[in-house]
Amino acid sequence: QVTLVESGGGLVQAGGSLTLDCAASGGTFSSYVMGWFRQGPGKERDFVAAIDWRGSSVHYATSVKGRFTISRDNFKNMVYLQMNSLRPEDTGSYYCAARGGDHFSDVEVDRLYDYWGQGTQVTVSS
């Protein structure tokens, strides 16, 4: 089985920064697409960012492009989401997800991901 555990969430003022971590264990992600999704209170889960495990391709939601950066550390089996210029609308539970297969298409579709973390809370205040 594959386990994903997110960490790094917290309370930050608008305009500030946070870095989220996703630790993977129980499998190999050498050919896995990794994604970040988020869900605000009373809202549906939305795509944030995705990266192929080799780090050759990335894709971002329009709302976060230019502010967030997804990256990986294959040696540590970690995926990161660097979040800058945070806004109150970025508030929500952030989830790490993994998808098998060595391709990078339809990465915004959450139902195509096979494994999910438990989420970490990000709250942005003014």
Side-chain angles (χ1 to χ4, degrees), residues 67-79:
R67 300 188 297 121
F68 291 11
T69 302
I70 187 171
S71 61
R72 69 165 181 86
D73 186 331
N74 190 56
F75 180 77
K76 296 181 179 180
N77 293 313
M78 299 284 291
V79 178

Side-chain angles (χ1 to χ4, degrees), residues 23-70:
S25 63
T28 178
F29 296 124
S30 60
S31 62
Y32 280 37
V33 171
M34 303 296 298
W36 286 97
F37 294 77
R38 67 187 181 188
Q39 185 172 23
K43 299 176 64 179
E44 295 182 342
R45 185 169 60 194
D46 294 324
F47 170 79
V48 177
I51 186 171
D52 72 317
W53 196 245
R54 299 295 184 185
S56 60
S57 299
V58 296
H59 181 64
Y60 298 95
T62 301
S63 60
V64 307
K65 191 172 185 178
R67 300 188 297 121
F68 291 11
T69 302
I70 187 171

Side-chain angles (χ1 to χ4, degrees), residues 94-116:
Y94 282 69
Y95 298 89
C96 179
R99 192 181 81 188
D102 194 14
H103 62 283
F104 198 71
S105 61
D106 298 318
V107 296
E108 297 184 6
V109 182
D110 58 354
R111 62 180 171 85
L112 299 181
Y113 288 79
D114 301 305
Y115 307 103
W116 292 84

